[in-house]
Structure formats: structure tokens, C-alpha cells
Amino acid sequence: MTPQDAAAAPEAPVAEDPIKAQNAQVLALLTRLFGEGTFTDVHEPYGLLTATTTRERIHDIIAGLQQDQELKFHFLTTMCGINYPENPGQELGMIYHLHSMTKNIRLRLKIFFPIADPVVPTLTDLYNTANWMEREAYDFFGIIFTGHPNLIRILNVEDMDYHPMRREYPVEDGTREDKTDLFFGR
Amino acid sequence: MAVNDALAGTHKIQEEAAAQRPGQLMPILNDFSQELTTLNLGPTHPATHGIFQNILQMDGERIVSGVPTIGYIHRAFEKLAERKPFYQITTLTDRMNYCSSPINNLGWHMTVEKLLGVTVPKRAQYIRVIMMELARIADHLICNSILGVDTGAFTGFLYVFQEREKIYEIYEEVCGARLTTNMGRVGGMERDLSPAALDKLRAWLKSFPAVMKEFENMFNRNRIFMDRVVNVGPISAEKALSYGFTGPNLRAAGVDYDVRAMNPYSSYEDFEFDIPVGTNGDTYDRFIVRNEEIWQSLRIINQALDKLPDGPYHADAPHYYLPTKPEVYKNMEALIYHFKIVMGEIDAPVGEVYHSVEGGNGELGFYLISDGGRTPYRLHFRRPCFIYYQAYPEMAVGTTLSDAIVILSSMNVIAGELDA
């Protein structure tokens, strides 16, 4: 570095984090495509752009992202259910991880809905891989995917009568006393 | 090859047979063609390499439809993980893809480190790379040599299993275990590479290429083997992406997606390696891609060993990294931290992390949501086999039973990971 460079360096703008810049670009494109107010609670934990939307819009949004020539979210990395019993009206949720391999952008979309009405549109018409992922979410959280060709349990036995990943079912039998620990609250 | 229309194919065979023998009636064949046989392939069939079932509808030798049933060894890892402190979850990850458990272990540690914001020193990262590439070699060796067994060639399997044994001996020096390794710790490695481990590793690096060369000589251009695998179970790149294929199976279809190159972790950006791709995604391509990846992994190990930096083998993160035993006995702070870590009394920050590593058979992802407690609020494993195994019926329909076995074998479906 020459002395001139050293002198100029402090005035030069601080190089922006490339991931942040990319996320900002993607977010701008998302709001342009799907309108203001579609996405709430936008943040980027550990560099992965995360947004919450509604179950009414989720199918259109993911279909739009898949077809968008600029972003090309051709790859559904994974999806999983989640249960927050303390959020009334939004107890259950689905979390989608999309990946654009051409641009190497990842995107996380979330939807939340009441546990009394756990109905979500299917993505099996967009991605073949959604089939088993949705069966898994149905199996463990009881989320119903409308339009799914074969929504039956996948990992648990068919005659199971509850959805075990919901928070109301503890891992251990609550009535057992031999495992109680005064200090560590087993 | 007409993959999809099995029935039409069978009728065509019959018509050809009838044309060859004019005047002869073939009532028996025609009767059978109307009737399908149900065949249970599995759950405990020696050729399925794990406990999963396929209910096949067969028209003679051809498969008309297949319905896979999975979940025979489902152990509720995601539910269990909600009750376990972070370091105890490592042992759950072992039992997913048990052919390459170090990748699962270290991938999990990296996820937690990302959540905690711990930076691992270079030496530990390089050791991790070496161990993960060894695991990849072991994984691919099993898959490819078993594919040989399924086509009737036992020799290759027995031959490379010796090499896998040597890899397991290196694991033993690094972590004390062989199959379910529980390797490394959050914040680095559990111990440094010992002189014995380095010796074993160097000796193996010298002896293995010759064996691998011979294995390739036995299979790659073998007429009998090629007749069994070329154009068997092909899948197009579009279909493979839609089905969520990753790893060697996707690369065999011609997509050069590799997590190590696209989103480098653990200093993979420091090494030079090629990503082999196939052209038509058939069983032969999958086999060849895996073989080539073994050579690339060897390249990475050699580079990592040459450039292995000096320095600590774990991060200076006393809140998360277990102190050494002599220190626990002598030092009050070390004793406190030891106690707190073992009892799971260290809270993690609130946040959510998705971290993925290139596993033996694809992108192995960990999606961790922490609400600030001692355990994850939710942990979801993106298990590559669970996701791509659903393409199996489509790939098997229209083929014969013996081809279906070969396709299954070349997809590298590991039951532990399938069912988690």
C-alpha cells in the first residue's frame, strides 16, 4: 500500500457485506414482485434472508420465485413444521428453505396459522420433492396440505392417533417419578 | 430405454416372440400379461441394505409400480433433540448416515458454532476437513463396492473393505470410536492429531491409491458390469433437481452442485479440487462420479496434510468447550465450566441457523432454532436420502427386479438417515 492509498483509505466507503447487499437486492425484488406488505418480520439471522408471509399467498409466492428468470429458485432445500403453543391463533407454522443454485441465494419463508385450522396449500405441483416433506409435516405436526396426492403418515405407524412433534407431547412420560430431579428438573 | 411404459414394453416383447414363431398360439403368456404379481421387496431383504420395504407390482419380470414404505427404524431424533443439550445431540447425528458419521458430527458442531459465534482455529478446521474427506471415501467405497456385489462381483467389495477398516483405525486414533464416532467437540476437535494418527494416515495415503486403481480397473470398463449398469435408472437434471437430489446422485445427472464449493465451510476454500459430473444420471454415472470423488477427496486430504497449520486444535471458548481433565482437577474455573457444560447449564443465544455440509450422499442440513435455553427449540435435519429416495419408484418402474436392486444400491440410501 502506497502512502497515497493509506491516506485515501479512511475516506473510502466501508465495503459493504456482500451477503447483506445480496439480501437487500433479493428483498427489493421480492417486494417488487409480490407487493408491499406481503412480507412481515423480515430479518437475516446469520446471513439467511428470512421473511414471514401468509398461507393464502405462499403457493403463489413460491411458484413465482420458481419461475422468476432473475432468481430461479429451482431447488426446495427443505421444509419443516413448527409449533409455538404460546402464540394464540398462530400455533403452527411451516418453514420453507429455498435455494437458487444459479445465483447461490438461499431464502427462508415462514407461514403461521391456527392449530384448529391447520390447512396449507401443497407444493407438490411445483416440486416433486415436496411430497414426502409434506407427509412428514403431516405426520409430525398434523398439518393438512390441500391438493397433496397421498397425504398419509410416513415415518410413524399408520394407526397412531396424535402428531408427536407438537409441544403438548413431552418426550418423557410426565407421570414417572423415578426420574424427577430436584435440581435439574427432569 | 423406454422406462415408463412397462406394460407396452411387455406386450411388444410378446408380439415379437409371436412374430418369430408364426402359427403358434401363446395363450399362457397372454393370460399372464393380464395379471400382476405383488412382490414385497423388503423390509428385511439382504439386497436392500437396510430396513425398508417396497411393494412392487410385477408384470412378469417388469416392475409396473412401486410403493415404498419407510420408517422401520425411525427413532424420533428431532423430538429427542428438543430435550438434549447441544453436545448430547452429536450422538444422534452419528446414527443418521452411519457410513460417514464424522461428517454428520462435524456438520452439527459447525451448526452450533455458527449459532454461538465461535470461530474455530485453522488447525482444527484442517483436521476436520481431513476427517470429513476420509469419511466421504469410506462412504463412497461402501456404496460402490456394494453395487459391485449386487451385480455379482464380490471381490471388489472384500478388497476395499480392508481399506475402510484402515480408515476406521484412523478414526480410532482421532476419537476412540469406529462406527458411531462422536468426533470433535463444539469449538474444535476433542484432541490433536496424535503421532500415531499421523503415521496411520500417511501410511494409508501411500497404500490406498494402488488399491483404488485396481478397484477401478476391475469395474470401470468391465463389460459385464457395464452391461448391468449403463442406462439403468437414468434421471434427467431437471427431474433430479425437482426431486431434491443432491450430492453424487445430482452430479451424476450433470449438475455441478457441491456445498463444499458453493458455500465453503471449514476452510474448504483453501483447497483445490474438481467436482466430477456425469451426463445422463444413470447407475454407471453415479458409480463413476463416486469413484472420481474418492480421488478428489484424496487430493484434498493430501493438501490439508501438507498445509496443516500449527496452533491450537480448539477455540478459546471456555463456555462451550470442555476443559481438559488435568485442568479440571487443578483449576477451579475449569471445574466450574466442566460441570456447567456437562449438566447443560450453558444457555445458547436466541436465533435460528441453517447450516449445510456436503455429506456422503448429499447436502446434509441442520436447521436449528434456539430460544435461548439449554436445548434447541426445534431441530430439523435435512436428510439427503429421505429427500431423494422418493424418486425411487419412478426410476424403478419399467425396469426388471434385478435392475431395481442395482438402482437402489447406486442411490446410496442409508436406512438410518432415511428414517432419522
Side-chain angles (χ1 to χ4, degrees):
Chain A
M1 196 185 262
T2 61
Q4 285 87 356
D5 288 339
E11 285 148 41
V14 183
E16 216 180 315
D17 185 358
I19 297 168
K20 269 217 161 103
Q22 196 185 43
N23 281 344
Q25 261 183 340
V26 175
L27 187 63
L29 203 68
L30 283 177
T31 43
R32 204 188 71 213
L33 282 172
F34 305 106
E36 295 276 341
T38 314
F39 300 102
T40 51
D41 192 23
V42 180
H43 57 304
E44 22 191 304
Y46 302 91
L48 207 156
L49 186 62
T50 303
T52 305
T53 181
T54 60
R55 60 175 163 178
E56 286 78 21
R57 295 292 312 274
I58 189 76
H59 187 275
D60 295 346
I61 289 170
I62 292 182
L65 287 172
Q66 192 188 24
Q67 275 135 33
D68 186 68
Q69 284 309 305
E70 220 168 316
L71 289 171
K72 290 185 184 163
F73 277 100
H74 285 323
F75 197 75
L76 177 63
T77 303
T78 188
M79 62 162 100
C80 65
I82 192 159
N83 183 204
Y84 289 107
E86 66 280 4
N87 292 359
Q90 301 199 320
E91 291 98 346
L92 282 181
M94 276 302 287
I95 301 168
Y96 302 87
H97 283 83
L98 298 169
H99 192 186
S100 164
M101 284 184 181
T102 44
K103 298 238 167 154
N104 194 17
I105 305 168
R106 286 183 194 272
L107 175 65
R108 183 187 290 140
L109 291 175
K110 295 183 179 185
I111 51 172
F112 294 101
F113 40 89
I115 200 162
D117 175 31
V119 182
V120 175
T122 182
L123 294 185
T124 44
D125 52 334
L126 304 175
Y127 300 96
N128 285 326
T129 182
N131 191 324
W132 281 18
M133 294 180 188
E134 287 179 355
R135 278 176 67 185
E136 196 186 23
Y138 164 73
D139 192 352
F140 288 105
F141 289 93
I143 298 167
I144 314 277
F145 294 89
T146 47
H148 191 286
N150 183 28
L151 195 66
I152 51 170
R153 286 186 185 272
I154 188 160
L155 290 177
N156 290 309
V157 286
E158 271 156 39
D159 51 1
M160 199 174 198
D161 57 356
Y162 62 102
H163 299 287
M165 282 290 281
R166 289 186 178 178
R167 302 296 287 197
E168 63 201 272
Y169 304 108
V171 176
E172 282 163 7
D173 185 356
T175 58
R176 274 181 75 167
E177 284 176 12
D178 56 322
K179 285 189 142 185
T180 312
D181 188 301
L182 182 64
F183 298 104
F184 300 110
R186 297 244 343 154
Chain B
M1 197 175 78
V3 183
N4 290 323
D5 205 344
L7 271 172
T10 326
H11 289 313
K12 212 178 137 210
I13 293 166
Q14 286 168 21
E15 278 160 24
E16 281 168 10
Q20 278 172 9
R21 282 177 285 176
Q24 269 188 19
L25 288 173
M26 302 186 71
I28 298 168
L29 248 179
N30 276 334
D31 278 347
F32 272 121
S33 73
Q34 303 301 318
E35 209 172 278
L36 299 180
T37 319
T38 305
L39 183 76
N40 275 309
L41 180 63
T44 51
H45 189 282
T48 58
H49 314 305
I51 307 175
F52 34 92
Q53 185 189 26
N54 278 287
I55 303 166
L56 304 174
Q57 295 293 329
M58 309 283 298
D59 179 10
E61 184 69 0
R62 301 236 161 229
I63 296 166
V64 178
S65 73
V67 180
T69 314
I70 66 167
Y72 284 93
I73 58 160
H74 173 57
R75 293 143 297 175
F77 282 169
E78 289 182 7
K79 188 76 182 176
L80 286 175
E82 290 174 7
R83 274 303 288 265
K84 287 185 184 293
F86 293 101
Y87 75 95
Q88 287 184 359
I89 293 169
T90 321
T91 53
L92 298 181
T93 64
D94 282 338
R95 284 145 180 87
M96 290 205 295
N97 185 347
Y98 39 71
C99 291
S100 53
S101 13
I103 302 183
N104 304 358
N105 298 155
L106 299 172
W108 165 245
H109 293 322
M110 283 180 242
T111 312
V112 180
E113 283 154 12
K114 202 167 167 183
L115 177 78
L116 302 174
V118 172
T119 315
V120 177
K122 273 277 181 198
R123 184 177 176 85
Q125 293 191 9
Y126 276 46
I127 298 174
R128 283 179 173 186
V129 165
I130 294 172
M131 297 324 293
M132 286 192 287
E133 292 309 315
L134 282 175
R136 193 181 320 285
I137 292 174
D139 186 279
H140 287 2
L141 278 183
I142 296 174
C143 179
N144 274 357
S145 60
I146 292 280
L147 179 62
V149 172
D150 285 341
T151 58
F154 196 81
T155 321
F157 171 70
L158 209 57
Y159 200 31
V160 299
F161 238 58
Q162 236 171 342
E163 299 305 310
R164 194 188 86 141
E165 172 62 29
K166 286 178 194 158
I167 294 177
Y168 277 19
E169 277 172 24
I170 300 168
Y171 290 175
E172 272 181 279
E173 292 296 336
V174 173
C175 67
R178 293 161 54 84
L179 187 73
T180 48
T181 47
N182 196 17
M183 189 181 280
R185 294 288 179 264
V186 172
M189 295 301 284
E190 168 213 359
R191 57 185 103 159
D192 207 350
L193 277 181
S194 65
L198 278 170
D199 286 349
K200 280 187 178 170
L201 184 58
R202 290 214 172 90
W204 181 80
L205 282 172
K206 266 213 185 84
S207 67
F208 177 67
V211 176
M212 191 58 208
K213 198 87 211 134
E214 201 157 344
F215 180 76
E216 285 196 327
N217 286 345
M218 242 186 295
F219 284 96
N220 282 12
R221 307 299 297 170
N222 181 325
R223 189 73 256 164
I224 304 166
F225 180 70
M226 284 177 78
D227 283 347
R228 284 299 308 276
V229 293
V230 171
N231 260 333
V232 169
I235 189 159
S236 68
E238 292 76 33
K239 262 264 141 68
L241 281 173
S242 178
Y243 268 118
F245 274 48
T246 41
N249 292 346
L250 180 66
R251 291 192 280 274
V255 182
D256 62 342
Y257 174 62
D258 189 319
V259 186
R260 289 175 292 172
M262 202 177 253
N263 297 306
Y265 50 89
S266 195
S267 291
Y268 267 108
E269 66 274 11
D270 295 1
F271 308 112
E272 209 168 285
F273 60 100
D274 297 328
I275 301 170
V277 289
T279 46
N280 59 348
D282 61 1
T283 303
Y284 185 66
D285 278 3
R286 287 191 278 275
F287 177 83
I288 295 293
V289 163
R290 285 207 177 85
N291 273 349
E292 187 51 38
E293 275 185 21
I294 291 177
W295 291 111
Q296 297 303 327
S297 293
L298 274 178
R299 243 176 104 185
I300 297 174
I301 296 173
N302 276 316
Q303 290 174 49
L305 208 52
D306 288 345
K307 292 198 278 186
L308 191 65
D310 292 328
Y313 59 93
H314 63 84
D316 183 22
H319 288 80
Y320 308 110
Y321 186 83
L322 269 181
T324 57
K325 263 283 137 62
E327 251 184 274
V328 173
Y329 292 140
K330 284 188 298 195
N331 184 328
M332 190 61 207
E333 283 74 30
L335 178 66
I336 291 169
Y337 278 127
H338 178 94
F339 183 74
K340 287 184 84 170
I341 292 169
V342 170
M343 296 313 294
E345 294 301 294
I346 305 265
D347 285 348
V350 181
E352 53 184 316
V353 178
Y354 178 80
H355 184 71
S356 58
V357 294
E358 183 69 27
N361 43 10
E363 176 178 342
L364 175 71
F366 300 89
Y367 177 42
L368 167 63
I369 301 178
S370 165
D371 63 345
R374 64 201 280 265
T375 64
Y377 184 79
R378 170 98 169 89
L379 177 61
H380 175 69
F381 300 111
R382 185 207 189 269
R383 290 130 34 220
C385 335
F386 173 76
I387 287 168
Y388 66 63
Y389 181 53
Q390 51 187 314
Y392 178 61
E394 192 175 323
M395 291 161 83
V397 162
T399 64
T400 60
L401 184 61
S402 50
D403 282 350
I405 297 285
V406 168
I407 297 168
L408 181 62
S409 187
S410 74
M411 283 173 85
N412 198 7
V413 180
I414 312 284
E417 190 178 87
L418 188 67
D419 294 346

